[in-house]
């Protein structure tokens, strides 16, 4: 017999989840790790990206509206997903899309995702 709440299976994912770094996290992204200060790439990965990947098939990440990004933030947030075995590089490339007025951020992130090693 199926229980009354079984229809709310945690395996059901939203088709798309939109994330704005500026709106949902900070206009001032910081360094790599929590220990580097507030708004780190590690914090963004753990508190925003990982839960979003659990909730949705596809993520659309809007990089606009911040005061810029350090390479350590981008590498830890996006490359860290692959390095820490949260998702494979191929799967992440299929599941994540970016919006940015500065195309170089998207290129840099894709390099970190494809070059990350577990």
């Amino acid at each position: 017999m199926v229980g009354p709440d079984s229809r709310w299976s945690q395996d059901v994912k939203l088709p798309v989840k939109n994330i704005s770094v500026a709106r949902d996290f900070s206009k001032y992204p910081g360094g790599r790790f929590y220990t580097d200060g507030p708004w780190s790439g590690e914090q963004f990965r753990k508190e925003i990206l990982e839960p979003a990947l659990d909730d949705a098939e596809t993520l659309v990440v809007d990089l606009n509206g911040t005061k810029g990004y350090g390479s350590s933030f981008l590498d830890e947030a996006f490359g860290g997903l692959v390095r820490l075995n949260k998702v494979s590089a191929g799967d992440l490339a299929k599941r994540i899309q970016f919006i940015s007025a500065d195309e170089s951020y998207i290129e840099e992130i894709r390099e970190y995702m494809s070059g990350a090693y577990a």
Side-chain angles (χ1 to χ4, degrees), residues 1-6:
M1 183 172 173
V2 176
D5 292 325
S6 64

Side-chain angles (χ1 to χ4, degrees), residues 24-76:
D24 301 325
F25 187 64
S26 175
K27 291 182 180 181
Y28 307 97
R32 180 179 298 273
F33 300 118
Y34 283 112
T35 55
D36 294 331
W39 311 117
S40 68
E42 180 181 27
Q43 181 182 0
F44 182 69
R45 176 177 44 79
K46 287 183 175 181
E47 296 178 14
I48 304 292
L49 290 178
E50 290 177 15
L53 283 168
D54 289 341
D55 292 343
E57 290 297 326
T58 301
L59 299 183
V60 178
V61 180
D62 186 345
L63 301 168
N64 294 314
T66 69
K67 297 298 180 185
Y69 295 93
S71 58
S72 59
F73 176 93
L74 296 175
D75 180 41
E76 186 60 31

Side-chain angles (χ1 to χ4, degrees), residues 21 29-32 39-42 44-45 49 61 63 66 68-81 83 92 98 100 102-113 116:
V21 178
R32 180 179 298 273
W39 311 117
S40 68
E42 180 181 27
F44 182 69
R45 176 177 44 79
L49 290 178
V61 180
L63 301 168
T66 69
Y69 295 93
S71 58
S72 59
F73 176 93
L74 296 175
D75 180 41
E76 186 60 31
F78 299 98
L81 290 168
R83 259 192 319 280
L92 186 57
F98 298 98
S100 179
D102 186 341
E103 188 70 27
S104 70
Y105 287 136
I106 297 172
E107 293 169 13
E108 187 175 354
I109 290 168
R110 290 202 171 127
E111 287 178 21
Y112 293 138
M113 290 180 347

Side-chain angles (χ1 to χ4, degrees), residues 1 4 11 26 86 91:
M1 183 172 173
D11 294 332
S26 175
K86 302 298 179 183
D91 188 37

